[in-house]
Structure formats: C-alpha cells, structure tokens
Amino acid sequence: MCGIVGYVGKADAAPLLMEGLRRLEYRGYDSAGVAIQNGTGLEIRKSAGKIANLERLVAQSPLHGSTGIAHTRWATHGAPNQTNAHPHTNCSGDIALVHNGIIENYDVLRTKLAELGHVFTTETDTEVLTHLVEECFEGNLEQAVAAALTQVEGTFGIAVMSARDAEKIVVARRAAPLLLGVGENGDAATWVASDVAAILGHTRQVIYLDDDEIAVLGEGTYETIDLKTIHEPGGWTPIEKEISHVDWDLESIERAGYPHFMLKEIHEQPNTVRDATRGRLLEEEGTAKLGGLDQLELEINAAERVVLTACGTSWHSALVGEYVIEELARLPVEVEYASEFRYRNPVIPPNTLVGGISQSGETADTLAAIREAKRLGAATFGIVNVVGSTIARETDAGVYTHAGPEIGVASTKAFVAQVTALTLIGLMIARRRGMSIEEGRAIVRALRELPGLIEEVLATEGDIRMIAEQYRESANFLYLGRGPNFPIALEGALKLKEISYIHAEGYPAAEMKHGPIALIDEEMPVVFMAPQDSVYSKVLLNIEEVKTRGGRVIALVTNGDQNLTDKVDHLIRVPKTHRLLQPILNVIPLQLLAYYIAVLRDCDVDQPRNLAKSVTVE
Ligand code: G6P
C-alpha cells in the first residue's frame, strides 16, 4: 500500500529518495512521485506505473536540493495515473504533500475550499489537504498543518513541505504508520518513512510516531509534538520520544541471488522456525517460555476463551492456531476476520483473551479489531512480526515472530512463524493446564526437528516445479484438507490466486460433496492434503470420489505412504512430524507450487497486481 519517504540533510535528496521508493516497492503501488526543495521553490516529478518510469523522468530532468519527500501510491480515490500520483500541491504550487490513508470528509472539505476559490486538479481525497494547509498558512508550516488537521476526519500519515517555510518537513500521523529516522555517525540528516525498509540503508535509529503526533524535521534535528495540544492554552506540548534500534540489516531486504523475494523467503523457512523458537523452548520442562506474555500471566491463567483475529494469510494461521490451542490446552478458541469483528458488536465475556495476528502489525482492520476488544474490556495480545509496529505497541502483551522482513507480497515465512508462535502459546498454556510433561517434551522435540524436515521438503522443489509445468494453463484449482490441514488448503489456494491469478478454492475435504464436486472434471486439478492422521481413511475416500469423476489429483502424503501411488496423478511426499506441526510442512510444497505456476505464467511474483503487502486502509 502507499509508501512515504522524506529526507532533510546535506546530501542531494533525490537519489536517496529514489532508493527509498525502491525499497517500498514491495508494498504494492501503482504510481510514484517525488518533490524537492531546490532553493527557490518546489520541483515535482510524478509518473504512473513502476518506479522505473519515475527514474527515467528524474534522469531526463534532474532534481537538486537537500530536502524532499517521495511517495508510492496505491489508488483509493481516483485512477492510478500521473495526475493523481502524489506529491500534491496547492494552487500556487509552493506546498507539496504526500499522504497515506483516507480523508473521509474530503467531499465536504473540497466543496468548502472550492467556494473559497481553491482550484482542484486531481480526483484524490489527498488534494484537499494541500489546499487546507494553504488556507491555514500564516507563515509557519507546522502551525498550518496542525490547524488543517483539526478539520480532517479519517486516517493519515503525511509529509509536507513548503517553499514559504523552507528546509523543513512537517509530518503527522493518525492510524497510518510513520516513523522518523535519525542520522547515524554524525550524519546531520533526518528521515521520515512509512516503513523502516525505506531508510534502513542509512540509519537504524528510529522513532515511531503515535496517533495524533506531529513532528518537524530539520537538517539533523526533529521535534515531536502532541497534535491535540494545539488549541490548549500554552499549546504545542513537545513530547519526548524514545529512539529505538532496528535489528534488521540491509541484506535481509535484498534478494541475495534469488530471482524473487518470495523464493528467498520460502527457502528461509528452516531458519524462520529456528528464530521463532530460539530461547523459547524448555525441553526439560516440556514447555515454552514467552517473556512477552508475562504481563498477562494472570489473565492467561484465568482465560476461559480465546478469540484470534486477523486478515488474509494471518487469518489462516489463526485457524491453524484454533486447532492447536484447543487440542493442546483444551481452551475454546474462536477465529474472526478482523474486518467483521470490528463492526459486529462482538460478545466478549469476562476472561476472554483476544489475540491479533499480523505480519506487518499495521493492518487497519486488525488494529481496529484489537482496539474494539480493548474497549470491550478484553486482555489483548499480539502475534506480530514487525517490531515497534502499531499492533505490537497497542496490545497488552505479545509474541514477536522474528521472521525478519518479509518483502514478497504473498506471505510465506511470516505464516510459518505465526503458526510456530501459536504452537508455542498452545504448548505453554497446555502445560499450565495439566498437559503431561511427556506430551510437552514431544512437542518441544518436534519443534526442534522441524527446521531439518523443512529442508527435506525444500529439496523436492524440482519435482514440484515439474508438476507446476503441467498445470500452468489450468483455469481453476481446488485444495482440500481436514483438521489443521484444512487451513492449509485455504492458504494453498490463496497463494495460487494471489500470484498466478488462477481461480482457486480451499475447502474442508468432506465438504466437497456439498458443492465443489459439481466442478470436477478432467480440467480440474485437486490438491489433497493426505497425511497419515486420524482422518486419513476419510480423505482417501474423497480422493476416490474425485478420481471417479475424472479429476486430476495432486496428493501431499506422508513419506513412505504406498497406498496412493497408483491412484493419483502426482504425489508430493512430505516427512512425518507431530500431527499439529504437519500443517507447517504441508504448506511449503503449496507455496512452491504457486510460485512456480506464477513464474511459468510470467506473473510479477513479488508484486502481484492490485495487492498490497500491508493494508493500512479499511
Ligand atoms: C495483505 C497481504 C497479505 C496479508 C494480509 C494481512 O492482504 O497481501 O499477505 O496476509 O494483508 O496482513 P498482516 O500484515 O496483518 O499479516
């Protein structure tokens, strides 16, 4: 989704900002732009489509100046063309602004501003902000921005510059992520970004802005202020903000020789499990230690119900978590789409824990669901990958998944890390509620062995590619699984549709008879999860039902399984692990299958059309 990067310092800003935009590409966007203060005024270059187009423009007509802002846009209001790309300017062209989020009352503001004589040139909601700042401007940019924002309803992360109050950038946030970067090693530079990846090549010292904070950035300086204090007597209350150190290094956001980030991230998954479990497994006691949940110890012990809420792939991990936590800890778990939870007036009885699962920690619906749960009095926890993200900061406690930056839009390693974290949570609660030490140790051992088994699955990559070659032209796919492998069927189907644009559906295998069976013919590949578990024989029956109707079957089976050798079209063999960890092994061939089909269809794997990595609007 939209990305912001800005720089005030001594160096030429344009190349730094273009590099920042490149680092934001993965989030998904459809146009881009940059504005620079050149000493006498503002110069802007904008372009529809890829950043390469903008780079060409900047190369043809270079920009010089050491203060600038840049943006990648993911269209919400107005077509993704050059005009609607940010930065936007006011009537006299001396204010430039970039914005992430949605101005909900833009219609009312636009009418009002048009009556005052402002001329609008774009179809965006954002443009009203530039005219509003112009209207409020009395010589000081931060005062004007703060005054303008008091009239705004909606969400925003903004960066604003003006030639009339130059050499500074004013930034503000409400429900759209924004952070400041502080120059390192005596570099008199200050950055703003919506995602740390944009500035990681230059600094790892960051300040996370909170909602309703505004900051003024100068050459190596910054001041953070509480936006709400502008109208109070004395106004303008500066806030002391903590500087955080980001551990991620530059290599982790580069492709390291892989053709795509997605493939790199699929291959990182043995380490994903190692990192998610590091220091958290207590083999002797047969349990897990999760320091981030200590603050909720009493609530966890008293919990009678858990609600897990999330979106997209994270919602699938919640579904696996439901099976794992219920089975291990005998604690009822419900899984809710965050977008539904937030608006349906959910019933949250006492002793309910609400967990928000999010790779980015910024998904608007998940954040809103967590806020709603807090408002209803629930204790909340996060299972989050991005350290310092809003969900991580707003939940009462949490477990970081430590998967490192995930750049491919289609989530892979973050999913595996989430399921691992949910297993650790299930194990920890289960042991407190009477699960035997032997059972606990078995899970700890299985978690320790898991990275090696993932490596075995990855070694079958060549076979999976061959299967992909046969089905690259298919128009539809069906994925079926049962128990904790049912969410893996959903996730396999989601991966395929996200990156190859093939229609795919996931179902619980036994539900096939209630609808999807009508679709089965020789054109329809059906991917079955058929590990040797308690419902294995039932899944075999479903496979027969598909074969009888001429369907093509790709079956994921446990290593050594001979029952299906002559019965299905393709076998993918997966090592056996603890039944509750089998989903982690099973998802990997499905990630690879989707990846290779997408590559063979010439799709843009890392930046699939219309999708965004982090959905920060509703
Ligand atoms: C977007 C991404 C998905 C992701 C979902 C939830 O749709 O494209 O890959 O699963 O958002 O994101 P989160 O950051 O909350 O896990």
Side-chain angles (χ1 to χ4, degrees), residues 16 64 73 90 158 261 353 378 399 432 435 479:
L16 298 171
H64 294 294
R73 173 173 188 250
N90 57 325
I158 54 168
F261 280 108
L353 293 174
V399 178
R432 289 189 195 171
M435 181 210 246
Y479 288 74

Side-chain angles (χ1 to χ4, degrees), residues 27 310-316 357-364 366-367 383 385-386 391 406 408-412 414 418 491 494-495 498 608 611-615:
R27 304 180 65 87
C311 304
T313 288
S314 298
W315 183 76
H316 293 158
I357 307 179
S358 176
Q359 186 286 126
S360 61
E362 302 292 352
T363 300
T366 311
L367 176 59
I383 298 177
N385 192 36
V386 178
I391 294 173
E406 188 178 65
V409 165
S411 184
T412 52
Q418 289 164 346
E491 177 59 10
L494 178 66
K495 285 293 85 82
E498 279 180 317
L611 293 181
K613 181 69 187 160
S614 167
V615 179

